[in-house]
Amino acid sequence: MKYDSQYYMLNESGRATDYMLDQIDGSDEGLGRLMAIHPIHRRVLGPGRVGISEGNRAKFQPCDYHETAEQLVSDKFRQVLAPFNLPGIDFYQTDIVNDDKTWSDYYFMHIWNHHQAIDKKRSEISGTYVGGRFTLLKLSLDEEVLDQVPLEKRLVFTLKEKPVFLFHQSVVAALRASDLSGLGFRRVDNWSIGSAFEDDDDFYDDL
């Protein structure tokens, strides 16, 4: 269980939770494949475009992190990750559009570095692991798998079994130190399917 206390999931926090953002007309069609666990750069030929589907448009100001299926981040967020030289992570320039305002310094983050790292004995699911037909209720990471992967190749990765993005504590510390808006952290051993409705502040202390 050692890795359960070393990895975090990212989630929206603060005013970012007041809005829902989605791709709109004019967004490159290749960006519909951002959940793929393989590179998609050959399919993406242009920028993304995102609009507000829920929330008060008149008061909208973008945060550094918005939890869409595609993980929308600011250039400030992207620059924090740059020194880590993370494998299997690409960024695609994306405009946030709100009526006559456009913010162009945003990116869809595509994480296609993946490891089959769910510990099936300690994790809790609803459904069956066969064919990936399950809902993850509680997660524990497989030490035998991750012990075989050098740290620099698993600083940020997605679970092969499910599109769950995991960030090592060293990356989380850098993100936290950069005072990014809209961003919360949930450590794996404190995460469950219902934890998204709980306050994240208590989970900073162990960083």
Side-chain angles (χ1 to χ4, degrees), residues 31 46-49 91-95 103-108:
L31 293 172
R49 284 174 60 85
F91 295 90
Y92 296 95
Q93 191 272 320
T94 297
D95 294 333
W103 294 266
S104 297
D105 54 342
Y106 279 79
Y107 296 82
F108 278 136

Side-chain angles (χ1 to χ4, degrees), residues 9-14 17 20 67 135-137 184-186 190-203:
M9 300 177 190
L10 273 54
N11 58 272
E12 281 184 321
S13 181
T17 61
M20 182 176 292
E67 189 177 282
T135 299
L136 192 61
L137 304 178
F185 308 92
R186 178 73 59 173
N190 287 319
W191 178 88
S192 68
I193 195 169
S195 63
F197 302 102
E198 301 171 1
D199 192 350
D200 296 304
D201 292 343
D202 294 341
F203 302 105

Side-chain angles (χ1 to χ4, degrees), residues 32-199:
R33 299 175 178 266
L34 281 160
M35 300 302 290
I37 54 175
H38 54 74
I40 61 171
H41 60 273
R42 293 182 182 275
R43 296 181 178 271
V44 180
L45 305 178
R49 284 174 60 85
V50 166
I52 301 168
S53 57
E54 290 187 19
N56 188 332
R57 292 173 178 270
K59 294 184 178 181
F60 176 75
Q61 288 292 327
C63 295
D64 293 299
Y65 179 79
H66 287 277
E67 189 177 282
T68 66
E70 300 85 3
Q71 306 296 294
L72 186 66
V73 303
S74 68
D75 185 58
K76 182 179 178 181
F77 184 112
R78 185 176 69 102
Q79 293 300 329
V80 173
L81 297 190
F84 291 97
N85 297 312
L86 300 170
I89 298 183
D90 297 322
F91 295 90
Y92 296 95
Q93 191 272 320
T94 297
D95 294 333
I96 299 178
V97 181
N98 182 28
D99 295 330
D100 60 344
K101 295 182 180 180
T102 300
W103 294 266
S104 297
D105 54 342
Y106 279 79
Y107 296 82
F108 278 136
M109 180 169 57
H110 178 217
I111 303 173
W112 51 276
N113 180 34
H114 58 88
H115 301 290
Q116 191 166 335
I118 292 179
D119 186 292
K120 294 182 179 180
K121 294 181 179 179
R122 294 195 301 262
S123 299
E124 297 178 17
I125 67 167
S126 174
T128 173
Y129 284 112
V130 179
R133 296 188 296 272
F134 66 88
T135 299
L136 192 61
L137 304 178
K138 191 170 181 59
L139 174 63
S140 186
L141 297 172
D142 191 326
E143 289 95 340
E144 292 186 7
V145 171
L146 295 180
D147 279 345
Q148 303 305 311
V149 183
L151 176 59
E152 63 271 17
K153 294 185 178 181
R154 54 175 171 83
L155 288 171
V156 177
F157 69 93
T158 187
L159 294 173
K160 186 175 182 180
E161 303 94 327
K162 279 287 178 181
V164 174
F165 307 117
L166 298 173
F167 292 72
H168 188 263
Q169 59 190 3
S170 58
V171 178
V172 170
L175 290 169
R176 185 186 177 201
S178 298
D179 193 28
L180 299 171
S181 62
L183 183 59
F185 308 92
R186 178 73 59 173
R187 206 171 68 185
V188 166
D189 57 4
N190 287 319
W191 178 88
S192 68
I193 195 169
S195 63
F197 302 102
E198 301 171 1
D199 192 350

